[in-house]
Amino acid sequence: MAFGTRKLKRGRHPYCGAVVAAAGKSTRMDGEDKLFAMLGGVPLIIRTLTALSDCPDIDVIVVAARSEDILPLSHLCHQHTLKKVRSIVQGGETRPQSVLGGLLALPAKAELAAVHDAARPFVSSAVISAAICQAAKSGASAPAVLAKDTIKLVSGGRVEKTLDRGAAMLIQTPQVFHAGLLKGVLTRAIREKWEITDDCGAMERMGMTVMITEGAYENIKVTTPEDLIFAQALVEKAAMDHENRPRV
């Protein structure tokens, strides 16, 4: 399937649906449900959905959540007037199952699917749009940032290899794909029980090329209690920057 000839007209973009993977169990959060953790008085998941909603290149949003979270999430979306959230569906036991469920709930006209981690509340519209624009041309893209630390491959407590830090990148979300292509790949991944940690991994296993776009170091994924502390600091910094912004 060829994507390289696709050209975007100014002011227009392919219809893009976001699938938010929110069915995780927060196993590394010491018992706290990170999605409902408050950041500056706003639940983390609402900050994530608001960031996606604010991007003009995202047309509709589907959330794949745990069954017990569907009702409270629905109330929160209504409370915060998140009109782009089309539906909240039940996620699966694995990420591929959850993402595929979200994909199947997107409108049939969705050409692109932007899969985003529910626990990445600080993604910017610039990062989202860059990934969407690239996926419209190539079929698959993901934002990334260069690794700051030295990365080593370790086995049995011993260093096996030191990676070239200049070539090592940390992959973020949203990862954006041609919607039909991703449905087919994830269907096979589920059927054959592939062990993958992100949707790019499924594409790579099929021999497909994923293009990288510019991510942002602020686009963190909240996974541990320490991440939540850093997230709160980012919220406080943003509030301080807004307060100190020169008045016109």
Side-chain angles (χ1 to χ4, degrees):
M1 188 177 296
F3 300 93
T5 59
R6 183 62 181 271
K7 293 183 179 180
L8 301 181
K9 296 181 180 180
R10 177 174 293 183
R12 298 187 61 184
H13 63 273
Y15 192 96
C16 182
V19 174
V20 179
K25 299 178 181 178
S26 301
T27 54
R28 286 174 282 181
M29 285 297 297
D30 293 342
E32 182 174 7
D33 189 339
K34 62 186 177 185
L35 296 187
F36 297 97
M38 301 301 285
L39 293 176
V42 179
L44 184 154
I45 182 62
I46 294 302
R47 286 188 175 274
T48 299
L49 295 175
T50 300
L52 291 169
S53 295
D54 287 345
C55 178
D57 291 325
I58 294 291
D59 295 288
V60 66
I61 301 169
V62 170
V63 183
R66 294 179 299 179
S67 58
E68 62 266 32
D69 291 338
I70 292 177
L71 188 58
L73 278 175
S74 298
H75 287 319
L76 283 172
C77 288
H78 178 74
Q79 178 184 343
H80 291 269
T81 322
L82 293 172
K83 296 181 179 180
K84 285 188 181 181
V85 178
R86 174 188 175 98
S87 60
I88 302 173
V89 300
Q90 184 170 338
E93 290 296 317
T94 66
R95 182 184 178 91
Q97 290 173 346
S98 293
V99 173
L100 182 58
L103 287 171
L104 294 175
L106 289 177
K109 62 182 176 180
E111 299 178 60
L112 298 177
V115 184
H116 190 60
D117 297 323
R120 289 189 190 269
F122 303 114
V123 65
S124 68
S125 289
V127 168
I128 299 168
S129 293
I132 290 173
C133 184
Q134 178 58 57
K137 295 182 287 186
S138 63
S141 70
V145 292
L146 285 170
K148 294 181 179 181
D149 299 322
T150 298
I151 299 179
K152 298 179 182 290
L153 294 179
V154 177
S155 177
R158 298 190 307 174
V159 172
E160 297 288 339
K161 183 179 180 180
T162 300
L163 301 182
D164 177 5
R165 188 168 61 183
M169 303 196 77
L170 306 178
I171 303 299
Q172 302 178 338
T173 67
Q175 297 175 3
V176 188
F177 311 92
H178 184 275
L181 177 64
L182 184 58
K183 287 178 187 177
V185 171
L186 289 183
T187 297
R188 180 173 176 181
I190 293 167
R191 183 175 66 247
E192 299 182 4
K193 298 181 179 180
W194 295 354
E195 292 187 9
I196 52 176
T197 57
D198 70 351
D199 304 286
C200 285
M203 291 290 181
E204 294 158 20
R205 185 155 178 170
M206 290 290 291
M208 298 174 183
T209 299
V210 178
M211 300 300 295
I212 295 301
T213 57
E214 186 174 357
Y217 288 106
E218 293 83 6
N219 185 20
I220 64 168
K221 182 179 181 182
V222 176
T223 303
T224 66
E226 292 77 18
D227 296 330
L228 201 55
I229 294 171
F230 184 44
Q232 186 62 50
L234 288 175
V235 171
E236 293 172 1
K237 180 181 183 301
M240 187 178 301
D241 290 345
H242 179 77
E243 182 67 25
N244 294 333
R245 187 173 59 187
R247 300 294 191 267
V248 178

